[in-house]
Amino acid sequence: MKGWLQQLGYSDRDLDKLNVIHVAGTKGKGSTCAFAASILHANGQRTGVPRKIGLYTSPHLKCIRERIQINSTPISEELFAKYFYEVLDRLSYHTVEKRNSKDTPRYLQFLALLSFHVFIRERVDGAIYETHSGGECDATNVIQHPVVTGITTLGMDHVEMLGPSISDIAWHKAGIFKAGSPAFSVLQDSSAATAMLQQRADERAVALKFVSINAALPSGILALQPQVQRINCSLAIALVGSFLEDRKHGSLTLSDIRRGIEQFSWPGRFQHIADGNNHWFLDGAHNVLSMQKAADWFSQTILEMQPETAPLARILIFSHISRRNGSALLKGVAAALREAGIHLDHVIFSTYEVRQNTTGSDRFDSNETFQQDYAEVWKAISPEVEFSVKPTIEEALERAREIGKRGRGMQTLVTGSLYLVGGTLSLLESKNTIAALKPSA
């Protein structure tokens, strides 16, 4: 990465000028970064600094430009195209000069390089970076002098690359710690993970603090309804507070925090969309830990909105196509719902294909074999619950609507993959059905 940055004409000092908040973890990285960006932006609206806040996250839901944002807005198509080709041309020139076609960045490496180029050229004076999946060997870890670093909840994911133990995973994630830069972590469930984070901090002479839920979090805000989002937001407040102290930009106020949370938007994560009596609950959970949190949030929310008359139909739309154990995810969400006392009326399995005869979906494996396998798993879990297998997301949504029409409406949890959730959002938005719910008092 360092060599490619040099080919683009950049050094460590150029990255230092971005004033980076660097975040790693298993669950909640994206939400934490989005909270931090929103709260920092709210502070900037009041004080005038920072003026431009960059946000780099992955993956995207609907559009690749979502990964590179300035002041909480994806960069325009024109800017993306302009800077994309500037990076590509510069790297291609050096590749040809060296006559070594293997000396080219891969997809995520290229996007990280592109983000650095965009933020430097656009004169960003505060940037928040989410690692891809690791830390120590992550493409974003070319950042040598972050202002502050953060670790979100750790769990057993990407074990083939980072494992096999939770200590190994913690070791990799803590690779973003840098001497001279303070670090914050949420309270970890695993004592082994906590011990490893502290060990890595000590080895690098990093002051590490563990953050509990901030007592100053405002009440009555929908974004903070899930407990896990209160944890993520608390970490974000600690990171932003440290950032402002380091940059000598004053301090956060309670109004900064409230405004930042009210302006917070992170589609596809703990997202509730109302369409009349049809309620869609979207969460891109794709590991066991995230799936448990998504199921808990869905259960809590629908129980709180339980009507006095007959309940709405409860439906699960699930899809997961990857090297992970999708069956374990399905079993996990089923167990979590059952433990919460939620009885599903129907389960729908889909591919990642948005609709029939669409283009631009080459990145997806639309083989319905996965869905048939999940159907067999479901038969063993809950043989009394009906299920359907649909070849596209559009048909899965239509099936859910049909079930809702039989009664007073439906409550549908869509989960298992960000690709599934992204496709769902695209379809719902195209039908102009989204109506944002107001926070309950």
Side-chain angles (χ1 to χ4, degrees):
M1 284 292 292
K2 196 165 186 176
W4 290 319
L5 276 172
Q6 290 172 347
Q7 290 175 17
L8 295 177
Y10 301 131
S11 66
D12 288 346
R13 293 189 64 183
D14 292 303
L15 298 192
D16 293 347
K17 293 175 184 177
L18 294 178
N19 302 314
V20 173
I21 296 174
H22 203 186
V23 179
T26 303
K27 168 65 180 172
K29 300 193 302 294
S31 293
T32 298
C33 288
F35 272 123
S38 188
I39 293 169
L40 190 57
H41 183 55
N43 174 267
Q45 289 174 317
R46 178 176 62 85
T47 66
V49 288
R51 186 175 57 87
K52 282 189 176 182
I53 301 163
L55 175 64
Y56 176 77
T57 60
S58 62
H60 60 272
L61 279 177
K62 296 174 294 179
C63 171
I64 195 170
R65 292 180 292 107
E66 296 168 15
R67 297 177 184 239
I68 304 174
Q69 302 188 22
I70 296 177
N71 289 343
S72 300
T73 301
I75 61 173
S76 67
E77 292 181 358
E78 292 77 15
L79 278 184
F80 185 91
K82 172 187 174 183
Y83 290 134
F84 177 93
Y85 284 109
E86 286 181 359
V87 171
L88 185 64
D89 290 347
R90 175 54 56 181
L91 294 178
S92 297
Y93 170 79
H94 284 278
T95 299
V96 171
E97 197 174 52
K98 292 181 178 180
R99 300 180 181 179
N100 182 7
S101 61
K102 293 182 180 180
D103 187 31
T104 56
R106 297 184 296 276
Y107 178 67
L108 292 178
Q109 293 170 328
F110 185 92
L111 288 177
L113 291 167
L114 176 60
S115 73
F116 293 132
H117 182 59
V118 169
F119 293 157
I120 292 170
R121 291 291 300 274
E122 289 297 308
R123 300 183 183 277
V124 159
D125 50 352
I128 296 137
Y129 269 81
E130 174 192 2
T131 61
H132 298 127
S133 60
E136 178 71 31
C137 302
D138 194 81
T140 64
N141 207 30
V142 70
I143 299 164
Q144 294 302 305
H145 305 107
V147 174
V148 60
T149 59
I151 304 292
T152 65
T153 302
L154 299 179
M156 299 298 289
D157 195 25
H158 296 289
V159 176
E160 70 282 356
M161 293 188 296
L162 309 177
S165 71
I166 190 68
S167 292
D168 294 316
I169 290 172
W171 185 92
H172 275 279
K173 303 292 185 181
I176 66 170
F177 292 169
K178 301 295 189 304
S181 300
F184 294 86
S185 170
V186 303
L187 297 173
Q188 301 294 335
D189 294 331
S190 165
S191 58
T194 299
M196 180 54 73
L197 292 177
Q198 190 61 63
Q199 177 184 318
R200 291 279 270 165
D202 293 342
E203 289 171 353
R204 299 189 175 192
V206 168
L208 172 63
K209 295 181 181 179
F210 288 88
V211 176
S212 57
I213 293 179
N214 193 310
L217 288 179
S219 59
I221 297 182
L222 189 62
L224 296 182
Q225 181 181 4
Q227 175 80 353
V228 67
Q229 291 295 63
R230 297 177 70 81
I231 295 171
N232 294 332
C233 186
S234 297
L235 176 59
I237 291 170
L239 293 171
V240 172
S242 180
F243 175 95
L244 294 175
E245 180 181 356
D246 179 88
R247 307 316 300 163
K248 296 180 173 52
H249 290 333
S251 58
L252 276 178
T253 66
L254 291 177
S255 63
D256 291 338
I257 294 171
R258 172 173 278 278
R259 190 182 309 113
I261 296 171
E262 289 174 342
Q263 295 174 354
F264 168 84
S265 176
W266 201 232
R269 285 81 164 180
F270 302 109
Q271 185 175 7
H272 180 185
I273 296 170
D275 177 16
N277 284 334
N278 290 334
H279 294 267
W280 306 94
F281 296 82
L282 280 58
D283 192 88
H286 50 276
N287 58 52
V288 173
L289 180 61
S290 298
M291 196 67 71
Q292 173 74 53
K293 302 299 183 184
D296 290 346
W297 161 70
F298 175 68
S299 302
Q300 177 186 346
T301 306
I302 65 173
L303 289 174
E304 288 176 354
M305 59 185 289
Q306 181 79 4
E308 295 180 1
T309 55
L312 307 180
R314 291 165 177 170
I315 303 167
L316 169 66
I317 297 179
F318 179 89
S319 185
H320 186 88
I321 304 171
S322 79
R323 291 177 292 178
R324 292 185 181 90
N325 187 342
S327 296
L329 299 184
L330 181 59
K331 292 175 182 177
V333 70
L337 294 174
R338 186 165 51 248
E339 184 176 338
I342 302 300
H343 172 77
L344 293 174
D345 297 289
H346 203 96
V347 178
I348 305 169
F349 300 106
S350 171
T351 66
Y352 293 163
E353 203 69 50
V354 177
R355 47 167 65 97
Q356 291 283 15
N357 301 319
T358 56
T359 59
S361 57
D362 293 342
R363 62 177 174 159
F364 299 142
D365 182 349
S366 298
N367 193 326
E368 291 181 55
T369 301
F370 285 95
Q371 282 57 51
Q372 296 294 345
D373 290 344
Y374 293 145
E376 293 301 318
V377 171
W378 190 260
K379 287 180 186 178
I381 296 173
S382 299
E384 75 284 0
V385 178
E386 293 183 358
F387 67 86
S388 305
V389 176
K390 296 297 179 182
T392 67
I393 299 172
E394 183 175 48
E395 290 168 275
L397 301 188
E398 283 304 314
R399 179 62 175 146
R401 290 191 182 96
E402 290 170 5
I403 296 170
K405 288 177 182 177
R406 296 176 187 171
R408 299 178 56 255
M410 57 73 172
Q411 298 162 324
T412 299
L413 173 62
V414 183
T415 192
S417 166
L418 283 169
Y419 295 129
L420 170 65
V421 168
T424 298
L425 274 175
S426 296
L427 290 166
L428 293 177
E429 289 173 349
S430 68
K431 290 180 180 268
N432 298 317
T433 60
I434 288 185
L437 294 182
K438 303 263 185 207
S440 56

